Amino acid sequence: MSKEIAPYKSAIIKAQEKFTKIASPEDYDKESIFAMQAIMKSDFAMKTANDNPTSVHLAMLNVASTGLTLNPAHGYAYLVPRDRAIRLDISYK
């Protein structure tokens, strides 16, 4: 019996190829973990991400394009659920 991957996780995996064309594979490895952690923080974020996995995919590409990190210790950028989508929010830092 195979376990189905959540839509938001599939979207993060799907972003890998384009992400690594913009940023490094090492950056993708780190940022994908930070993205999953951010989405799993709340049921609302997870529901939003699963209902709109394309927004997760695009948010990941925005992370690569901006060169910012989702690392919560730095606080430079965040994935937030807003308007039925997951959006990349850039911090004031």
Side-chain angles (χ1 to χ4, degrees):
M1 184 167 147
S2 69
K3 187 172 181 176
E4 186 176 318
I5 297 176
Y8 82 90
K9 287 184 181 179
S10 293
I12 291 170
I13 293 166
K14 182 181 172 190
Q16 182 176 12
E17 184 179 347
K18 286 185 181 177
F19 189 107
T20 56
K21 286 181 180 178
I22 300 167
S24 74
E26 294 81 16
D27 287 341
Y28 171 80
D29 292 341
K30 291 185 289 185
E31 298 306 324
S32 64
I33 292 169
F34 295 140
M36 284 189 228
Q37 289 173 338
I39 291 169
M40 291 176 8
K41 274 187 179 179
S42 77
D43 290 339
F44 181 66
M46 198 173 315
K47 180 177 179 353
T48 302
N50 282 324
D51 289 347
N52 189 350
T54 300
S55 69
V56 176
H57 178 84
L58 294 173
M60 287 297 294
L61 297 181
N62 286 336
V63 169
S65 296
T66 62
L68 295 172
T69 181
L70 297 172
N71 185 334
H74 294 284
Y76 295 143
Y78 304 92
L79 295 183
V80 295
R82 188 174 49 252
D83 301 328
R84 297 186 306 230
I86 297 296
R87 308 281 184 196
L88 176 67
D89 268 4
I90 299 172
S91 171
Y92 67 92
K93 293 182 179 184

